[in-house]
Amino acid sequence: MSLTLHELDNKLSKNLVSSFYFIMGPEVFLIKESLRKIQSRILSPESLDFNYEVFCAGEVEMEKMCEAVETLPVFSTKRVVVCEEAHRLKESDWKTLKPIMNNPVETCVFVFVSSNPDKRKKVIKELLSFCEVILADTPKEAQWSVWLEWMGKKEGLSFSDSAVALIRDYACYDLLHLETEVKKLKSFLGSKKNISAEDVLNVLPRVRPENIFDLSKAIGQKNLSSALVCLARLLEDNHNEVGVLSLISRHIRILARIKEGVKKGHTEQTLCNKTGVPRFFIRNYIKESDLWTDQKLFSTIEILKATDKALKSSPVSAHIWLENFIIKTCSV
């Protein structure tokens, strides 16, 4: 039997804790929230550092992971051990793990996490048979308003129907981003509890991720005219020039980290963890990074630094410096 996040919460609130959990699915927010709920139910803030360990399958010896499971807790009745990217477990790894799975350690909760499990693999089948499964699937479109209401309730907020539609338009690509936008509204609006469409328009940025993708892709292809058009769209979205440059700089640096990670053979989930990019967008970033050479990325970052300095100190109009940035990067 599989559980949703809410069903897991209900069971934990009744102190019904399993020895083994398997969190599976691509939704980063649901993975993190499930781990947080398990961790907070079992461990106090004071005992967390002593009793919470995270390992990544394929990057650690199984014996070390088993040793962590069998270690006695400190200032707590139980400890929590997490095995990320469980889909990378091999059959030889499972042979090492199986004695622990057959004889659960009473003082440990063992959690496996996989964003992309192949249910045909023997190891995944074994995990499904031993563990209580928690689903981290991307919500269907009809469920977004429910999640928004739930997140708003946690922050003491309620939303008008038009505000719900707008927030969905801003952040419908993943729950992690949706949570960020709700917290942003809470932070900017202070004591206000009932959020209107006007509040959303005043607080949330109007820059879409795809606009940044389009610009950096045009630069990567050295398409000057297309890059200038993309820049104009970004400026039309009510962001000031310094803010736009900051968004571009962040995007280029993420591309550089992803290119380096791909060379090292990192998985998509590892790249997500290292860059903070939502799972939904990571493949777009990987494809886009292929357009950039290391030298192109380095030179663009250097031009970005010079442009940032000029924007903050030069009397020349800011949009001229941004256009100059585009011309230079497309000619590199």
Side-chain angles (χ1 to χ4, degrees):
M1 177 182 173
S2 58
L3 303 175
T4 63
L5 177 63
H6 299 301
E7 289 167 341
L8 170 67
D9 196 22
N10 287 335
K11 292 194 74 170
L12 291 174
S13 66
K14 297 173 184 176
N15 210 29
L16 299 173
V17 180
S18 298
S19 297
F20 307 115
Y21 290 101
F22 184 15
I23 306 172
M24 53 186 289
E27 192 63 51
V28 176
F29 170 83
L30 294 178
I31 292 173
K32 291 187 174 182
E33 192 68 10
S34 297
L35 285 170
R36 187 191 67 78
K37 287 185 178 298
I38 293 169
Q39 168 200 305
S40 61
R41 170 55 56 180
I42 296 167
L43 303 174
S44 66
E46 296 77 16
S47 66
L48 182 62
D49 289 342
F50 301 101
N51 301 294
Y52 188 75
E53 291 192 66
V54 180
F55 300 91
C56 185
E59 297 180 9
V60 65
E61 293 180 358
M62 284 299 102
E63 288 79 6
K64 186 174 181 180
M65 197 182 299
C66 293
E67 182 181 326
V69 173
E70 293 172 335
T71 299
L72 290 173
V74 179
F75 307 126
S76 176
T77 57
K78 289 181 183 289
R79 67 198 321 267
V80 177
V81 174
V82 180
C83 172
E84 293 184 335
E85 300 196 48
H87 51 273
R88 297 176 66 188
L89 289 170
K90 302 173 183 176
E91 289 191 31
S92 57
D93 297 328
W94 183 251
K95 289 179 181 178
T96 306
L97 288 172
K98 196 162 184 179
I100 284 179
M101 306 301 289
N102 284 326
N103 298 284
V105 178
E106 293 183 3
T107 55
C108 184
V109 174
F110 200 178
V111 185
F112 297 87
V113 179
S114 174
S115 59
N116 186 32
D118 184 348
K119 295 181 181 179
R120 298 169 298 179
K121 287 182 64 176
K122 181 179 178 181
V123 174
I124 299 300
K125 289 179 180 178
E126 293 278 17
L127 286 174
L128 290 172
S129 67
F130 276 95
C131 302
E132 187 146 32
V133 177
I134 304 166
L135 297 177
D137 294 331
T138 301
K140 296 178 181 177
E141 186 175 349
Q143 297 172 312
W144 284 102
S145 58
V146 177
W147 278 106
L148 179 56
E149 181 182 357
W150 180 76
M151 291 178 184
K153 191 174 181 180
K154 284 175 63 179
E155 301 294 338
L157 303 177
S158 62
F159 307 95
S160 68
D161 290 343
S162 54
V164 170
L166 276 173
I167 295 170
R168 257 178 45 171
D169 183 42
Y170 283 114
C172 66
Y173 47 84
D174 84 3
L175 289 176
L176 198 62
H177 193 77
L178 184 64
E179 182 189 40
T180 300
E181 300 301 81
V182 170
K183 288 184 176 180
K184 194 181 299 179
L185 286 164
K186 172 70 173 178
S187 176
F188 275 85
L189 297 174
S191 60
K192 188 168 185 179
K193 303 299 181 186
N194 301 312
I195 309 303
S196 66
E198 185 179 358
D199 295 324
V200 175
L201 289 170
N202 287 335
V203 173
L204 300 188
R206 296 182 60 193
V207 173
R208 300 287 191 275
E210 51 265 38
N211 290 342
I212 304 294
F213 274 118
D214 289 343
L215 175 58
S216 57
K217 186 174 182 180
I219 294 171
Q221 294 174 337
K222 296 187 179 182
N223 188 330
L224 177 59
S225 60
S226 178
L228 288 172
V229 169
C230 292
L231 175 64
R233 287 177 185 163
L234 284 169
L235 294 175
E236 286 171 3
D237 276 339
N238 290 342
H239 258 59
N240 63 36
E241 289 85 351
V242 174
V244 168
L245 190 71
S246 176
L247 287 167
I248 296 169
S249 180
R250 176 180 178 274
H251 188 86
I252 298 299
R253 291 179 189 281
I254 287 174
L255 288 179
R257 289 199 294 270
I258 284 178
K259 193 169 188 68
E260 181 183 3
V262 169
K263 285 181 181 177
K264 292 179 178 178
H266 290 328
T267 63
E268 290 182 2
Q269 187 59 55
T270 300
L271 293 174
C272 289
N273 295 340
K274 289 182 177 295
T275 61
V277 172
R279 182 79 183 184
F280 186 89
F281 278 112
I282 196 66
R283 291 186 181 178
N284 288 342
Y285 273 98
I286 293 171
K287 288 179 183 177
E288 192 176 339
S289 70
D290 290 338
L291 299 172
W292 295 74
T293 64
D294 292 337
Q295 180 57 40
K296 176 79 172 176
L297 285 165
F298 175 78
S299 59
T300 300
I301 290 171
E302 291 302 305
I303 297 171
L304 278 165
K305 290 178 182 177
T307 305
D308 180 63
K309 184 177 180 180
L311 281 177
K312 295 172 180 176
S313 60
S314 173
V316 177
S317 179
H319 78 270
I320 293 176
W321 282 111
L322 285 177
E323 289 176 1
N324 186 55
F325 155 73
I326 295 295
I327 293 168
K328 282 186 177 179
T329 51
C330 285
S331 63
V332 171

